[in-house]
Amino acid sequence: MANSSTVANGARLDDCHSSVFSLADLSGIKWHRYSSISPGLADDPVLAAFTKCLALDILAVWRKSSKKSPMQHGLPQEGIERELWIFWWGEEPNIDEISQQRGLNDIGRGSWDEGLTYECRTLLFKAIHNLVERCLLNENFVRIGRWFVKPLNKDNEEDISDRFSFSFSFFLHGESYVCTTIEIAKHQPLERLTY
């Protein structure tokens, strides 16, 4: 009979043998927020700045703001307000090209030392998920709902790795460790559609 002191209780990550991985320590994280109001997608400063962040490998995410459009001359401004959040550890990345984007307003910055709100943490998780998604898309995976799937390679139809799909969930462990669980499932073979 096993002694209870020798059995892992599963309450600590180092006791687990599963698909849980530690991604980052939030200690020292900093962020910068920008916003803009744009009537459409074509000339939106937030989306243009987000595209530049992706090109520069800067961890960033954008969202529609939940705030109402501000008033100008007593009338509400037309358009949708969007926010851009940029995250980093250590030295601030060179975001001069991004911050000087016409129509982009600096609305604040923060750091781990000031506290991490639920809103900020949620957006950071989304930014990390976007980064993971870009890496998988570069490896020829496609996203279907919450699953990342690799379509069949016609040159190697017997490749078993093309039959698995992955889904990621992020959570905070302890006070500052961002972790992910990876759910793996088997799916029917998928093939890319062509004209």
Side-chain angles (χ1 to χ4, degrees), residues 41-136:
L41 295 174
D43 299 325
D44 191 295
V46 163
L47 298 181
F50 177 70
T51 302
K52 288 179 184 177
C53 287
L54 294 181
L56 297 170
D57 287 328
I58 296 173
L59 188 61
V61 66
W62 71 271
R63 70 169 180 170
K64 286 183 186 177
S65 177
S66 57
K67 301 173 190 168
K68 293 183 178 179
S69 296
M71 304 290 276
Q72 186 176 35
H73 305 296
L75 300 170
Q77 285 185 314
E78 290 188 26
I80 297 171
E81 185 173 6
R82 292 182 178 84
E83 291 181 1
L84 173 70
W85 290 62
I86 298 173
F87 299 95
W88 71 91
W89 285 264
E91 285 189 38
E92 184 172 357
N94 185 359
I95 56 174
D96 292 340
E97 185 179 341
I98 296 162
S99 62
Q100 294 171 1
Q101 177 82 27
R102 193 172 143 245
L104 201 60
N105 303 311
D106 184 343
I107 59 171
R109 54 178 56 231
S111 71
W112 172 258
D113 298 333
E114 299 164 4
L116 190 67
T117 64
Y118 176 78
E119 171 189 47
C120 183
R121 185 173 61 235
T122 302
L123 290 168
L124 174 63
F125 289 176
K126 185 176 177 184
I128 292 172
H129 192 273
N130 289 345
L131 177 64
V132 169
E133 181 175 11
R134 278 198 326 265
C135 292
L136 288 171

Side-chain angles (χ1 to χ4, degrees), residues 4-191:
S4 63
S5 64
T6 63
V7 177
N9 64 11
R12 294 173 30 138
L13 285 180
D14 53 354
D15 289 338
C16 297
H17 300 282
S18 67
S19 56
V20 177
F21 299 93
S22 179
L23 295 177
D25 182 359
L26 294 181
S27 300
I29 193 166
K30 299 172 187 158
W31 59 90
H32 207 130
R33 291 174 57 194
Y34 297 93
S35 72
S36 74
I37 297 175
S38 177
L41 295 174
D43 299 325
D44 191 295
V46 163
L47 298 181
F50 177 70
T51 302
K52 288 179 184 177
C53 287
L54 294 181
L56 297 170
D57 287 328
I58 296 173
L59 188 61
V61 66
W62 71 271
R63 70 169 180 170
K64 286 183 186 177
S65 177
S66 57
K67 301 173 190 168
K68 293 183 178 179
S69 296
M71 304 290 276
Q72 186 176 35
H73 305 296
L75 300 170
Q77 285 185 314
E78 290 188 26
I80 297 171
E81 185 173 6
R82 292 182 178 84
E83 291 181 1
L84 173 70
W85 290 62
I86 298 173
F87 299 95
W88 71 91
W89 285 264
E91 285 189 38
E92 184 172 357
N94 185 359
I95 56 174
D96 292 340
E97 185 179 341
I98 296 162
S99 62
Q100 294 171 1
Q101 177 82 27
R102 193 172 143 245
L104 201 60
N105 303 311
D106 184 343
I107 59 171
R109 54 178 56 231
S111 71
W112 172 258
D113 298 333
E114 299 164 4
L116 190 67
T117 64
Y118 176 78
E119 171 189 47
C120 183
R121 185 173 61 235
T122 302
L123 290 168
L124 174 63
F125 289 176
K126 185 176 177 184
I128 292 172
H129 192 273
N130 289 345
L131 177 64
V132 169
E133 181 175 11
R134 278 198 326 265
C135 292
L136 288 171
L137 293 177
N138 287 337
E139 294 295 323
N140 297 321
F141 281 83
V142 294
R143 184 173 178 182
I144 299 176
R146 67 184 186 102
W147 295 95
F148 292 97
V149 181
K150 196 169 195 178
L152 275 176
N153 180 351
K154 289 186 180 186
D155 298 333
N156 188 8
E157 292 184 20
E158 298 300 319
D159 188 358
I160 192 72
S161 67
D162 292 342
R163 301 280 309 271
F164 290 97
S165 52
F166 307 93
S167 176
F168 300 89
S169 298
F170 299 97
F171 63 94
L172 197 59
H173 177 70
E175 291 193 19
S176 65
Y177 290 99
V178 176
C179 297
T180 185
T181 57
I182 301 175
E183 188 177 347
I184 301 172
K186 193 172 183 183
H187 62 268
Q188 292 298 315
L190 296 175
E191 203 171 313

